[in-house]
Amino acid sequence: MSLPNEALQKLLQELENRIVSSQQQIGLAKAQMTTKQKAIRLLELTSNEMGTLSSDTRVYEGVGKMFVGVPRSTVDKRLVAERAELKSDVSGLEKKLNSLELTHKNSMEHYERFVKSGGKA
């Protein structure tokens, strides 16, 4: 049983759109992961540097265009919380990336099968 030419073109176009869309989303997810991993690394470096300071060292945080003195424990807690949030985000992005890669792979397989079959569904 053969589908009409218009239906085949529509199916082929839908597969192509899905492939392109998944490729774009994969690139975006990878870029977001890279950005978040860099932020995690920066937080870890900051935390390590804070660990080398003596306990009586004054610590300041930027607030707009000025700096305000804050307790070290507050800064440490903020760094830990931000790192945990970023790691959670990276984990979510990894799951999303796996899903997108699976969608892309399946779409490519369907497209290749469609082309090899000569447009017969």
Side-chain angles (χ1 to χ4, degrees), residues 68-86:
V68 177
V70 293
R72 253 182 86 175
S73 62
T74 303
V75 175
D76 289 336
K77 287 177 188 175
R78 182 185 56 80
L79 292 173
V80 169
E82 285 181 21
R83 190 176 332 133
E85 182 180 344
L86 286 169

Side-chain angles (χ1 to χ4, degrees), residues 23-90:
Q23 285 175 332
Q24 291 171 343
Q25 290 177 353
I26 286 171
L28 181 62
K30 285 181 178 180
Q32 289 174 339
M33 280 180 56
T34 301
T35 301
K36 290 187 185 293
Q37 288 169 338
K38 285 180 183 179
I40 289 171
R41 182 70 181 135
L42 182 61
L43 289 172
E44 288 172 349
L45 289 171
T46 303
S47 184
N48 290 342
E49 285 294 317
M50 295 272 300
T52 63
L53 300 174
S54 65
S55 61
D56 61 342
T57 303
R58 295 185 55 93
V59 180
Y60 297 88
E61 280 193 333
V63 178
K65 292 185 177 183
M66 65 181 198
F67 292 91
V68 177
V70 293
R72 253 182 86 175
S73 62
T74 303
V75 175
D76 289 336
K77 287 177 188 175
R78 182 185 56 80
L79 292 173
V80 169
E82 285 181 21
R83 190 176 332 133
E85 182 180 344
L86 286 169
K87 285 184 178 184
S88 173
D89 291 348
V90 168

Side-chain angles (χ1 to χ4, degrees), residues 2-14 114 119 121:
S2 180
L3 292 174
N5 212 14
E6 292 173 7
L8 292 175
Q9 287 177 341
K10 185 177 179 182
L11 181 61
L12 186 61
Q13 183 66 36
E14 184 179 318
F114 184 79

